[in-house]
Amino acid sequence: MKETEFILSGLLKESPKHPYQIKKEIKEFVLPFTGVKIDSVYYPLKMMESKGLVEKQIRYKKRGGALYIYKLT
């Protein structure tokens, strides 16, 4: 498992999250302690979804668009 997938799995273990929330938590909690900076969470989440590690759910529609929440499978 790649470093990014490991970090994302740890954050999603707590509860399902929106990608923006994941990125915010990485900036607040992971970066200060590890120095690991993740520029984009969307691509790693997509790869994890294709591997069956996470599942994408639609929580509600917002102004014609969907809000996606990711959770561990």
Side-chain angles (χ1 to χ4, degrees):
M1 182 179 284
K2 293 181 181 180
E3 182 179 87
T4 304
E5 291 176 355
F6 184 72
I7 292 169
L8 295 177
S9 296
L11 293 172
L12 291 173
K13 183 178 178 185
E14 296 173 1
S15 65
K17 293 178 175 49
H18 181 269
Y20 177 77
Q21 185 180 6
I22 294 169
K23 190 162 176 111
K24 182 179 174 186
E25 288 184 12
I26 289 171
K27 189 175 184 179
E28 289 178 7
F29 304 116
V30 177
L31 180 63
F33 295 105
T34 64
V36 174
K37 184 178 179 185
I38 300 172
D39 294 323
S40 174
V41 296
Y42 294 98
Y43 182 74
L45 285 170
K46 185 177 178 181
M47 292 295 103
M48 290 174 70
E49 184 180 13
S50 70
K51 293 178 184 178
L53 299 173
V54 297
E55 182 179 280
K56 181 169 58 173
Q57 298 177 332
I58 299 175
R59 279 287 167 98
Y60 59 86
K61 300 270 183 181
K62 187 174 182 180
R63 294 184 186 149
L67 177 65
Y68 294 106
I69 303 293
Y70 288 86
K71 71 173 195 168
L72 288 178
T73 54

